[in-house]
Amino acid sequence: MSYNHLFQKTYDLVKWVYPTVNRFPRSQRLILSQRIEVTSIRILELVIDFEKRKTETNRRKISNEIHKLQILFRICKDLSYLSFKRYEHASSLLNEISQIIADWGGGILAMDCTSLYDELCSFRNLELAFRKARRNKRNRKDVQKFELNLESNLLQLGSELRFFSYIPSPLKRFVIRDPKTRLISASDFRDRVVHHAVCNIIQPVFEKSFIHDSYANRLKKGSSKALERYDGFKRKVTHNGRTLNHAKDGNMVIGYILKADIRHYFDTIDHDNLISIIKRKISDRKVIRLIRLILENHTTKHKGKGMPIGNLTSQFFANLYLNDLDHFVKHKLKASNYIRYVDDFVILGNSEEMLRDYKTKITGFLGKSLKLDLHPEKSNVYSLCNGVRFLGFRIFYHYKIPRKSNIRKMEKRLSVLKSRYERGEISFEDITKSFQSWMGYAMQGDTYKIRKRTVEVIGELSPSIKVKIERK
C-alpha cells in the first residue's frame, strides 16, 4: 500500500467526522464531539509525520489513537448518537488505516510477537473478523442470530479467548460432488469469527515470506492472476508461439510443462510440521495454543494430521505449509517459470528431461521435509501442444476453455435454480446473484458462446428484464 492511499483514507475519516458529530445532541457537542474531532485530527497529524519517519514508535502512536477513536465511536453508538450503519462505516475506515499501518511493519505488532495474542483478542480485531466472516452471508440465520447481540457476543468471545475457556464447536460435515467427491467440514459461525481473527493477526506476519508466484488466499492474487502469469510464462517458453515442425495449427507449440498436485493434501498435512513452520515467525505461545486448538478440532484416521476443507484457517495454513516447497523450487532448483495455487503447481520449460529431473527432486523434498506425496496419476510432464488442465481450464496457446466437468456442474446448478424459481422459492435476482461468480470465472477463458447460452436460459425466466453479456 502506498503512503498516498494511507493519507487519503485518513483524510476521508476526518472529512466524515466533522459533519457527523455536528448532528449530535447539543449537550454532547462540547464533550464527545470535541474529543472525536481532536483525536481524528491527531491521527491525521501522525500519518503526515509517518511519511518521513516510518518507525515502530510512530506506528504504535497511530494504533493507540485509532483504538481511542474506536472506543469513542462505540460510546456514541451505545448512546444512539450514531446509527449502526454509520458506526460500521467509521469502524471500516479505522480498520483499513490500521491494516495499512500494520503492513508497513510486516504485520500487526509484528515487532513484538509477545503482544500478538492481546491484539488477537481485542474488540476491534474481533469486530473486523465478524465483518469478514459475515461477508456474503448476511441472510443466514446463524449470522443474524450472532449479529442480534453483536457487542455482547464479541465481548464474550474476547473474554473466553483471554481466559483460555474458548472451546470450538464440533464441525458439521457434509459431502459435495463437484464432480470429485469431497468431505466438507463447516465450522459454527462463532468459530469462523475466531478463524478470521487469527488470520487477521498472523497473515501479515507471513506475507513477506511468500514468493511472488504463490497465488492462493492472498490479497491481490487469486486464480485470475495465476492464469495471467501462466500466459506470460507460456509465451516466454514458446518464444511467442513458435510451433512444432509439421504443426496442424497455431496451438501446436514447442515447450513442456510439469503439472503436479499433492495426493490427499488436506488430509495429510502434519500438525507438528505446520506448528514448527508457524513458530519461525510467531513466538507467542498463546497464539500457538489457539492454533493447535483449531487444528485438533478436526479428527481424521491419523492423529496429528489433516485439516478441514472449508475453514479460512485451513486455506491459509495450506498455502503456508507449501511455502518451503516454493523456496526449494525457486532457490535450489532455480526453476523460473513456476506457479502454485494451493497444492496445484506447474513448471514450464523447454527441456522434458530437466522437468522430469525436477519432479524427482520435488518428490524427494516433499517426502523428507513435509511428509507429503505427489499424486501418482496427476503429476507428470506434458507437451504444451496438447493443452494443459490448470485451475479449472484446459489451456492451449491461443485460447482456454472451462473443463467439461465444470460446464456440466454449472448446467446442473442452473437447472436446479430454474426449478426453484418456477416454484416461487427464489427470486430472479437470487438467480442472477448466484451466477455472478460463475460468470466472473468463465470470463477468464474464451467462453462467449457458453456465457451467451447461459444468459439466454436465465433471460427466458423473466423476458421483461434484459440481461447483458460482455465479450471478453
Side-chain angles (χ1 to χ4, degrees):
M1 289 287 183
S2 68
Y3 171 79
N4 288 340
H5 185 66
L6 171 63
F7 176 81
Q8 188 59 52
K9 287 293 178 185
T10 312
Y11 184 77
D12 290 345
L13 173 69
V14 175
K15 203 164 63 171
W16 178 85
V17 159
Y18 274 80
T20 301
V21 297
N22 280 333
R23 297 189 181 96
F24 288 1
R26 286 183 178 275
S27 59
Q28 300 300 326
R29 284 185 190 171
L30 293 175
I31 306 171
L32 279 173
S33 63
Q34 191 177 57
R35 292 293 298 273
I36 289 170
E37 288 169 355
V38 168
T39 307
S40 63
I41 289 293
R42 174 66 176 151
I43 293 171
L44 183 59
E45 289 172 346
L46 288 169
V47 165
I48 292 169
D49 190 45
F50 190 67
E51 182 184 17
K52 296 178 181 178
R53 291 180 291 178
K54 294 183 178 68
T55 64
E56 181 63 17
T57 302
N58 285 349
R59 208 168 9 248
R60 286 185 180 279
K61 284 180 180 178
I62 297 172
S63 181
N64 289 337
E65 293 300 324
I66 287 172
H67 188 52
K68 289 178 189 175
L69 194 56
Q70 187 83 57
I71 293 170
L72 289 169
F73 282 140
R74 277 175 58 194
I75 293 170
C76 294
K77 178 179 73 74
D78 291 343
L79 294 172
S80 300
Y81 300 155
L82 272 181
S83 66
F84 188 77
K85 188 175 180 180
R86 286 182 176 275
Y87 173 69
E88 272 205 320
H89 176 72
S91 296
S92 177
L93 281 172
L94 289 172
N95 282 313
E96 282 187 69
I97 296 167
S98 291
Q99 190 61 54
I100 297 168
I101 289 292
D103 288 344
W104 250 302
I108 299 174
L109 299 179
M111 297 294 183
D112 182 9
C113 288
T114 57
S115 304
L116 281 177
Y117 195 72
D118 292 335
E119 181 65 24
L120 191 155
C121 302
S122 69
F123 186 87
R124 66 174 177 177
N125 184 48
L126 291 175
E127 189 176 40
L128 175 62
F130 160 74
R131 283 203 298 275
K132 288 183 175 181
R134 183 189 62 178
R135 194 171 295 157
N136 300 324
K137 297 181 179 70
R138 283 176 178 267
N139 295 328
R140 288 178 49 163
K141 289 183 180 179
D142 56 342
V143 178
Q144 292 173 346
K145 183 179 178 182
F146 190 92
E147 191 172 3
L148 193 63
N149 296 298
L150 177 60
E151 191 158 332
S152 60
N153 283 331
L154 291 180
L155 290 170
Q156 175 65 27
L157 196 54
S159 176
E160 289 179 20
L161 289 168
R162 283 190 193 91
F163 294 103
F164 311 110
S165 58
Y166 166 74
I167 299 174
S169 301
L171 299 169
K172 297 174 185 175
R173 291 180 170 84
F174 56 92
V175 174
I176 64 167
R177 294 173 177 84
D178 65 339
K180 184 192 295 186
T181 301
R182 297 177 186 271
L183 177 64
I184 304 296
S185 300
S187 296
D188 185 77
F189 180 75
R190 189 172 186 266
D191 296 327
R192 291 205 299 275
V193 172
V194 174
H195 298 166
H196 277 276
V198 170
C199 289
N200 287 348
I201 298 301
I202 68 171
Q203 190 164 0
V205 176
F206 286 98
E207 182 62 30
K208 289 183 180 180
S209 68
F210 292 138
I211 66 166
H212 177 80
D213 290 313
S214 167
Y215 286 90
N217 310 303
R218 294 176 64 196
L219 288 173
K220 298 184 179 180
K221 296 289 184 178
S223 60
S224 61
K225 293 290 184 183
L227 289 169
E228 286 176 17
R229 186 69 161 168
Y230 179 92
D231 287 340
F233 286 157
K234 176 182 68 180
R235 289 190 294 271
K236 176 183 171 184
V237 167
T238 61
H239 304 292
N240 288 322
R242 182 180 168 189
T243 57
L244 298 166
N245 294 331
H246 312 295
K248 293 181 180 179
D249 59 50
N251 289 300
M252 297 189 70
V253 292
I254 61 171
Y256 298 90
I257 182 170
L258 168 59
K259 165 75 173 69
D261 71 5
I262 310 297
R263 185 178 185 179
H264 304 309
Y265 181 51
F266 277 84
D267 289 334
T268 54
I269 290 175
D270 186 85
H271 291 181
D272 289 336
N273 261 12
L274 176 60
I275 292 295
S276 296
I277 291 168
I278 294 170
K279 281 182 176 179
R280 294 175 196 169
K281 295 279 186 181
I282 305 291
S283 61
D284 192 326
R285 293 180 181 180
K286 297 173 186 177
V287 175
I288 300 298
R289 178 191 173 278
L290 178 58
I291 290 171
R292 276 201 181 276
L293 191 65
I294 292 169
L295 291 173
E296 290 169 1
N297 193 41
H298 175 67
T299 55
T300 60
K301 294 178 182 178
H302 305 287
K303 189 176 180 181
K305 285 184 177 286
M307 297 189 302
I309 299 174
N311 282 356
L312 177 70
T313 46
S314 298
Q315 294 166 24
F316 174 71
F317 293 147
N319 195 40
L320 176 63
Y321 196 71
L322 286 179
N323 190 39
D324 284 359
L325 171 65
D326 297 340
H327 287 279
F328 174 76
V329 171
K330 297 292 284 187
H331 304 305
K332 296 292 184 181
L333 300 183
K334 306 291 184 183
S336 56
N337 305 316
Y338 169 78
I339 299 169
R340 181 174 67 83
Y341 191 91
V342 194
D343 63 322
D344 288 344
F345 62 90
V346 295
I347 306 175
L348 289 79
N350 298 114
S351 169
E352 183 178 5
E353 184 181 347
M354 179 187 69
L355 292 177
R356 292 195 183 281
D357 182 53
Y358 283 171
K359 182 189 172 187
T360 301
K361 290 176 179 176
I362 287 170
T363 301
F365 175 82
L366 287 172
K368 184 179 179 181
S369 300
L370 299 175
K371 301 178 183 178
L372 298 172
D373 298 309
L374 288 181
H375 197 293
E377 296 173 5
K378 297 180 180 179
S379 303
N380 217 327
V381 177
Y382 305 95
S383 173
L384 286 174
C385 67
N386 296 322
V388 179
R389 289 182 172 87
F390 186 49
L391 299 181
F393 287 91
R394 191 172 180 194
I395 308 172
F396 295 87
Y397 184 80
H398 287 290
Y399 66 94
K400 50 182 171 282
I401 54 176
R403 295 173 63 178
K404 290 181 180 179
S405 58
N406 288 348
I407 295 173
R408 285 195 296 269
K409 178 186 170 185
M410 178 275 297
E411 290 172 342
K412 182 179 178 181
R413 182 178 166 198
L414 180 57
S415 178
V416 170
L417 289 172
K418 186 178 177 182
S419 299
R420 291 185 64 194
Y421 175 77
E422 289 169 349
R423 293 196 299 269
E425 295 176 6
I426 58 174
S427 66
F428 183 77
E429 187 181 2
D430 291 330
I431 295 176
T432 55
K433 281 183 180 178
S434 180
F435 267 82
Q436 279 175 358
S437 60
W438 188 88
M439 286 294 187
Y441 152 76
M443 279 192 73
Q444 296 174 55
D446 299 272
T447 56
Y448 177 75
K449 289 182 180 179
I450 298 170
R451 288 182 287 121
K452 184 180 179 184
R453 188 167 68 242
T454 304
V455 165
E456 285 172 353
V457 172
I458 295 173
E460 288 172 3
L461 300 175
S462 184
S464 60
I465 300 175
K466 298 291 182 182
V467 182
K468 293 182 179 181
I469 180 169
E470 297 178 10
R471 284 189 178 272
K472 185 181 173 184

